[in-house]
Amino acid sequence: MMRKENWRSWKKGTVILFSLLLVASLLLAGCGKTEDQGSASNNATLGEQKSESQKSETKTIRVLMGLGENEWEVMRNDVLPAFESKTGIKVEAIQVEAGDVANKLEAQIKANKVEIDLITQDVNALSGLVARDLVEDLSAYQSEIPETVIQGMVDAGTFNGKLLFLPYRPNVEIAYYNENKYAEYGLQPPKTWDDLLKQAKFFKEKEGIGRIAIKGNLEGDNVLHIFDFIKSAGGDPYVLNDEGSVRAFEFLQELWPYLSPDSKKANWNFMNQFIATDSVYLGQNWPFGINVIVKDGGKKEIKAYSGWAGPVKESHALGGEVIGIPKGSPNKEAAIEFAKFLMSKDIQEILVSKLAWPAVRSDAYGKVEEWQKPYFDAVKNALEKAEPRGNVSYWDDVQKAILDAFRDVVINGAEVKPTLDKYANQIAEAKTKAGGK
C-alpha cells in the first residue's frame, strides 16, 4: 500500500507531467500552424514579387515635352492613355522648356546614363541638338511618315540628307481681324502690302490711333514677322542686305508710324488680348488664338484668313515641333512607336479639335466643329505658303542682327541700306566663325 505522502507526491508529479505534455502538444500545434501561416505569408510575398516582376516587364518610356496647362490636360487625359491601352507601353511625360533640352541630354549622354527616350522640340531650335550630336539618325524610319504629312515639316527635320527628326506638330501664324469693325468702315481685310499700308493709315486717321499691329517687341516673335516680310519681297534674311531685304525694311519703316502702339508689346500672348479687347482690329498670331479668342472669349466677330502677300509672294515662317530620339535612348523602338502614334490620323484629329493645333497631315481635319472650319481653312492656306526658317549654328547672332536692324531702321528711322549692310556683315562674320554651317 502506498503511503499517503507518496500518493500525494505521485499525483502531483503526474499532474505536472500531464501539464507539460499538454503544453508541448499545444506548442507543436502552434508551430505547425505558424509554419503554415509562414508558408502562406511567403506565398503572398512571392505573389507580390511576381506581380512586381510583371510590372517591371511593362516597358516605360520617358518623354520630354514643353506644353501649356490646357495642352497637358489633353495629352494626359486623351493621348497618353490611348497609347498605353493600345501598346501596353507606359509613358512618363515630363515638362521641360525647349531651351533646357539640349543641356539635359548632353549631360546624360556624357555620363553614359541616358534616361530620356523621346523629345519634342521647336523646329526653330534644332541646330543646337544637331551640332552637339545629341539625337539619333532616323533615316531608317522615313517610311513610317504618313504620305499626307506636310512636306515642310519633313524638310525641317532633315539635316545634310539625314532625317534626324520626325514631324509631329506644325504651326503657322494666321491673320485675325474684327469683322464688325471692318464692316463698319466698309473694308475688306488686306491682301497685299499696299492694302495693309492704306488700311493702317485709314484707321489711324479715323480713330486717332493705329488699329493694325505687328509683333514689334524686339524678341523672337518679332524675328518671325521680319522673316515673313523679307521672304514676301523675295529676300534672304540670312543675307539681310539683298534687294528683297532692303525692300522689306523700307516698307516696314513706312508702315510703322501708322501701326497700333500695342505693336511694341505684342507677342504670342498679348496679341490675343489686344484683338479680343478691340484694341487691335487686325493682327497675326498662332492658331491657338482660335480657341482663346473665339471659343473661350466669345468673340465670334473675330474672323481669320491666311494673311497678305508682298511684292513677290505670300510667305509664312513655318513653326511647330518635331520629334527626336536622344542618342543612346534605352527604349528606342518603343519611342518610335509613340512617335508613330502621335503622327496617326486619330491623334492628330484630337489635337486639332481640342487644342486648335494645325494638323501635321492634310487628312486630319475630320473632327473639326462647324464653327472652327473657316479658321482651319485659313490655317491650311497659310501652311501651303509656309517655309521653314532654317537652322544654323550661328542663329543667336542672326537673331540679334535682325532685331538690331529692326530697332535702328523701323523704330528709330535710320537709313535702310547702310544699316542693313552693317548688320549683314555681322551675320557673315558669324557664319564664317561657325564654319559656314
Side-chain angles (χ1 to χ4, degrees):
M1 180 178 288
M2 190 177 290
R3 293 178 57 180
K4 189 175 183 179
E5 49 272 25
N6 289 341
W7 164 256
R8 288 175 179 169
S9 296
W10 177 83
K11 184 177 180 182
K12 183 178 180 181
T14 302
V15 170
I16 292 172
L17 179 61
F18 179 77
S19 299
L20 289 173
L21 289 172
L22 180 61
V23 169
S25 175
L26 290 172
L27 286 173
L28 286 172
C31 287
K33 186 174 181 181
T34 302
E35 185 178 357
D36 290 341
Q37 289 173 334
S39 297
S41 177
N42 288 338
N43 288 338
T45 303
L46 289 171
E48 290 172 5
Q49 290 174 346
K50 185 176 181 181
S51 176
E52 291 300 320
S53 175
Q54 287 173 337
K55 288 180 183 177
S56 68
E57 291 173 4
T58 301
K59 195 174 291 294
T60 299
I61 59 173
R62 302 187 79 206
V63 175
L64 299 186
M65 292 178 161
L67 299 175
E69 184 177 345
N70 64 321
E71 294 170 328
W72 272 122
E73 184 177 346
V74 171
M75 191 64 65
R76 288 186 168 131
N77 292 342
D78 298 281
V79 178
L80 300 186
F83 175 72
E84 292 172 356
S85 175
K86 179 180 179 180
T87 65
I89 301 170
K90 299 291 184 182
V91 179
E92 182 183 347
I94 304 163
Q95 169 74 12
V96 174
E97 297 305 318
D100 299 328
V101 171
N103 290 336
K104 182 178 285 289
L105 290 186
E106 187 171 46
Q108 291 188 8
I109 291 170
K110 283 184 176 179
N112 197 27
K113 192 178 180 181
V114 178
E115 299 176 345
I116 306 302
D117 298 298
L118 182 147
I119 61 170
T120 60
Q121 186 75 327
D122 193 307
V123 296
N124 295 316
L126 303 180
S127 56
L129 295 168
V130 175
R132 291 151 80 173
D133 194 27
L134 302 179
V135 293
E136 294 276 1
D137 182 355
L138 302 179
S139 299
Y141 301 95
Q142 182 102 29
S143 61
E144 301 292 349
I145 299 174
E147 292 182 359
T148 55
V149 160
I150 297 167
Q151 184 58 41
M153 291 298 291
V154 180
D155 296 340
T158 303
F159 291 77
N160 298 320
K162 295 180 179 180
L163 181 70
L164 301 184
F165 301 91
L166 294 170
Y168 152 58
R169 173 193 176 186
N171 215 353
V172 67
E173 289 194 326
I174 54 177
Y176 296 89
Y177 67 97
N178 190 312
E179 185 179 50
N180 290 351
K181 294 295 183 181
Y182 266 79
E184 180 182 334
Y185 289 111
L187 298 174
Q188 293 294 322
K191 295 289 187 180
T192 66
W193 281 9
D194 287 342
D195 294 342
L196 183 64
L197 180 59
K198 288 176 183 177
Q199 289 184 12
K201 290 180 177 180
F202 178 86
F203 286 127
K204 181 75 176 284
E205 179 185 345
K206 290 292 183 180
E207 302 202 3
I209 189 171
R211 294 300 188 185
I212 293 176
I214 67 169
K215 293 175 180 174
N217 56 5
L218 297 180
E219 296 176 8
D221 308 88
N222 196 172
V223 175
L224 293 183
H225 272 201
I226 298 169
F227 259 69
D228 291 354
F229 279 104
I230 290 176
K231 290 194 172 185
S232 294
D236 184 348
Y238 291 100
V239 174
L240 198 59
N241 64 345
D242 58 353
E243 182 180 348
S245 298
V246 170
R247 194 169 183 179
F249 272 85
E250 287 175 342
F251 176 76
L252 286 167
Q253 188 181 65
E254 185 179 6
L255 179 68
W256 185 256
Y258 305 102
L259 293 176
S260 165
D262 289 332
S263 294
K264 290 185 177 181
K265 297 182 291 182
N267 62 9
W268 61 272
N269 183 31
F270 287 133
M271 185 64 87
N272 285 341
Q273 178 181 319
F274 298 146
I275 293 169
T277 57
D278 299 339
S279 176
V280 167
Y281 300 162
L282 174 72
Q284 289 180 307
N285 207 9
W286 304 104
F288 81 103
I290 297 169
N291 280 1
V292 174
I293 300 171
V294 184
K295 182 181 178 181
D296 299 337
K299 297 288 287 184
K300 295 181 181 179
E301 70 272 25
I302 303 302
K303 307 300 182 182
Y305 70 115
S306 65
W308 48 82
V312 174
K313 61 183 177 180
E314 181 181 340
S315 179
H316 301 272
L318 179 64
E321 292 185 329
V322 291
I323 295 167
I325 307 295
K327 278 282 183 74
S329 161
N331 300 293
K332 180 179 176 181
E333 293 304 321
I336 291 294
E337 287 301 311
F338 186 52
K340 289 162 56 179
F341 188 74
L342 290 176
M343 290 188 287
S344 70
K345 183 179 178 182
D346 288 346
I347 296 306
Q348 287 291 311
E349 286 182 333
I350 288 173
L351 298 177
V352 171
S353 62
K354 294 198 173 185
L355 292 175
W357 285 9
V360 77
R361 46 193 296 161
S362 59
D363 59 348
Y365 289 92
K367 294 184 180 179
V368 170
E369 295 182 29
E370 196 64 32
W371 72 268
Q372 291 177 310
K373 288 181 180 179
Y375 299 96
F376 280 108
D377 285 343
V379 170
K380 287 186 281 187
N381 289 337
L383 282 172
E384 289 174 1
K385 304 170 183 71
E387 304 176 69
R389 189 202 71 189
N391 284 283
V392 295
S393 58
Y394 53 98
W395 170 249
D396 288 345
D397 298 290
V398 174
Q399 178 168 266
K400 184 177 186 307
I402 290 176
L403 291 177
D404 287 348
F406 184 89
R407 179 200 60 216
D408 292 352
V409 171
V410 179
I411 298 176
N412 296 330
E415 191 174 350
V416 176
K417 186 62 166 65
T419 305
L420 292 187
D421 286 341
K422 169 186 171 182
Y423 290 112
N425 287 335
Q426 291 183 8
I427 292 175
E429 289 173 5
K431 181 178 181 179
T432 300
K433 288 180 182 178
K437 299 180 180 180

